[in-house]
Amino acid sequence: MWTVIISTLILSTMVIGLGIKLLTILNFLEKPNTLVWQLITVVVFLPSIYSLLSVSKLVFGNIYLYYLLAILVFYYISPAIGRLYFVLTPIVIILYLDMILQKPLPIDIPLLVFASGFLNYGATWLISFLKKPAIVKVSLAAVVMLVLERLFGYFLPAYGLHTAQGIFIATMSAIFFITAVDRFNRSLIERKEDVDDLTLQANKDELTQFYNLYHLNKDFSSRQLNRQTLAIAVIDLDYFKTVNDQHGHSMGNQVLVTFSQHLHQCLTRELGENNFELYRYGGEEFVVTIKTLKEKSMEALFDILQTSISNVDIASLDQKLSFSAGIAYLANHDFDPVKTFDIADKLLYVAKTSGREQTRIEVENIL
């Protein structure tokens, strides 16, 4: 009796620990569609499945629950990563068996291992179409896995038949695993949502809800505004200090929000939603990164923006809105956003000192 309890605790602790590790890493891992990212998911998984095979073989004389991690990832993280793990698991099993048996494997063993993997994946995939919670789907897939494990042991008696005690231990461990990991995943999702909220607060300006200076600096330093970006514009709301002094901060905030929202609407209408990014930079300054122009010149675009902004009507404000702007092209500065921004900022200063309500544009060097 004590042997069964201790064995169940050992296997349960092992799979729960491995499941929690995978959920934590894969949940917070960036998911770009790159070869490096694919390799990271493989590197994370291989030691986990090897650890599970080793512990179950050493403690129970056979291997158990070897597709449980792939099933977990399929339902809780991503079917694509889960499929990858369903491919990797039989490969690791074959290599592991070859190592512990210390003799060439007969052809029937790899065939049975891959057949078991195919059936496990097929069942997992079919169960995924059920309109049930993830914990129910994992449980059903685990039942199929346990049945196939019993058959696997039956067809390979020379390797070691799965005993009734072993099946009981594996079943209880699977139940503990599914219950614990599902609870942990729900807690992890809540924490991830909290982190996402904090990240959003750190990157968004509280007043205008557009990206702030922190996000702008992060983009400049990490992403380097790839070569698809055409130009950087620095825009300054004219006479904002006068509005603040004469009408108070409340009116000043209203003017800033109205200006930024209208600027965003105009840019969306003229460029398309995915062809620019708008940041709040400083008190009344904004930065726009422009990817492409739609059959109009940069000068024409900003004339349209200036006219549109001047038509904005704000109650209790007896002056029209206008802006000054400086624009520089990334191609002129080896696609260095920092240098480009610096030139745009200097052109903005020229526009402000030349009377405001105007845009100064760098000459584009077209090769």
Side-chain angles (χ1 to χ4, degrees):
M1 180 64 180
W2 283 109
T3 301
V4 173
I5 294 175
I6 293 172
S7 298
T8 303
L9 289 175
I10 292 173
L11 187 57
S12 299
T13 303
M14 169 59 70
V15 289
I16 289 172
L18 294 175
I20 287 175
K21 183 189 79 170
L22 284 175
L23 286 179
T24 303
I25 295 174
L26 295 176
N27 257 301
F28 288 95
L29 186 67
E30 292 288 339
K31 299 181 174 60
N33 188 22
T34 63
L35 179 60
V36 172
W37 176 73
Q38 295 287 348
L39 289 175
I40 290 174
T41 61
V42 172
V43 169
V44 168
F45 178 70
L46 289 180
S48 299
I49 187 64
Y50 181 81
S51 298
L52 179 56
L53 296 176
S54 299
V55 169
S56 59
K57 178 64 176 70
L58 288 173
V59 177
F60 315 108
N62 213 317
I63 55 176
Y64 291 92
L65 306 183
Y66 36 83
Y67 283 107
L68 195 55
L69 297 178
I71 292 170
L72 171 75
V73 172
F74 185 95
Y75 289 123
Y76 284 105
I77 300 295
S78 160
I81 305 178
R83 281 192 292 271
L84 176 62
Y85 288 178
F86 270 107
V87 172
L88 291 175
T89 299
I91 295 174
V92 176
I93 290 174
I94 292 169
L95 293 174
Y96 182 76
L97 293 179
D98 182 67
M99 180 182 67
I100 64 172
L101 291 179
Q102 296 183 344
K103 61 181 180 179
L105 291 177
I107 189 64
D108 58 337
I109 292 182
L111 290 177
L112 283 170
V113 171
F114 278 109
S116 174
F118 177 78
L119 292 173
N120 269 287
Y121 170 71
T124 302
W125 177 73
L126 289 173
I127 292 170
S128 68
F129 290 98
L130 297 177
K131 304 297 183 182
K132 299 293 182 181
I135 188 173
V136 175
K137 296 178 183 179
V138 172
S139 300
L140 292 174
V143 170
V144 175
M145 176 195 64
L146 290 168
V147 172
L148 291 173
E149 281 185 358
R150 183 69 178 87
L151 292 174
F152 178 71
Y154 176 79
F155 284 113
L156 293 174
Y159 167 64
L161 186 66
H162 284 75
T163 63
Q165 178 175 303
I167 292 294
F168 175 79
I169 293 171
T171 302
M172 294 304 299
S173 298
I175 292 172
F176 293 147
F177 168 85
I178 293 168
T179 304
V181 169
D182 183 77
R183 183 177 294 274
F184 175 79
N185 187 69
R186 280 182 285 168
S187 174
L188 190 64
I189 291 174
E190 292 175 0
R191 290 294 182 90
K192 191 171 184 293
E193 290 174 349
D194 291 341
V195 171
D196 290 342
D197 288 341
L198 289 173
T199 302
L200 184 64
Q201 291 175 22
N203 285 274
K204 288 289 184 77
D205 178 72
E206 186 176 356
L207 181 62
T208 64
Q209 291 303 302
F210 293 116
Y211 288 129
N212 58 17
L213 179 60
Y214 170 78
H215 195 281
L216 175 66
N217 290 332
K218 188 170 68 173
D219 276 356
F220 277 8
S221 62
S222 62
R223 188 161 53 93
Q224 289 295 299
L225 294 174
N226 61 50
R227 290 175 176 263
Q228 294 179 352
T229 303
L230 175 66
I232 295 176
V234 185
I235 300 173
D236 183 87
L237 178 59
D238 291 335
Y239 304 108
F240 176 72
K241 186 176 184 304
T242 303
V243 173
N244 241 358
D245 292 343
Q246 293 181 353
H247 300 275
H249 292 299
S250 178
M251 174 59 74
N253 288 341
Q254 181 184 345
V255 169
L256 269 179
V257 171
T258 302
F259 174 75
S260 62
Q261 290 177 344
H262 200 78
L263 182 62
H264 186 271
Q265 291 170 3
C266 292
L267 288 166
T268 302
R269 184 177 64 246
E270 298 299 326
L271 297 177
E273 188 172 356
N274 298 320
N275 283 326
F276 74 95
E277 198 70 77
L278 179 62
Y279 308 82
R280 185 181 177 191
Y281 175 75
E284 67 274 19
E285 291 188 357
F286 296 84
V287 175
V288 182
T289 56
I290 300 169
K291 291 185 177 180
T292 59
L293 295 172
K294 287 190 172 181
E295 299 180 353
K296 61 172 63 70
S297 67
M298 191 71 73
E299 183 178 5
L301 169 64
F302 274 77
D303 284 344
I304 293 171
L305 294 178
Q306 192 74 261
T307 301
S308 181
I309 291 295
S310 68
N311 291 327
V312 174
D313 183 36
I314 299 179
S316 304
L317 188 66
D318 55 359
Q319 65 185 65
K320 69 174 184 176
L321 296 183
S322 66
F323 65 83
S324 304
I327 303 171
Y329 293 95
L330 272 86
N332 291 358
H333 310 284
D334 297 323
F335 296 93
D336 185 328
V338 177
K339 290 181 180 178
T340 308
F341 171 82
D342 185 55
I343 297 300
D345 196 43
K346 289 176 180 177
L347 290 170
L348 167 64
Y349 178 78
V350 173
K352 291 170 65 175
T353 56
S354 300
R356 292 186 172 86
E357 197 174 346
Q358 57 185 274
T359 301
R360 291 301 177 99
I361 306 173
E362 180 184 37
V363 175
E364 183 180 12
N365 294 329
I366 302 175
L367 300 178

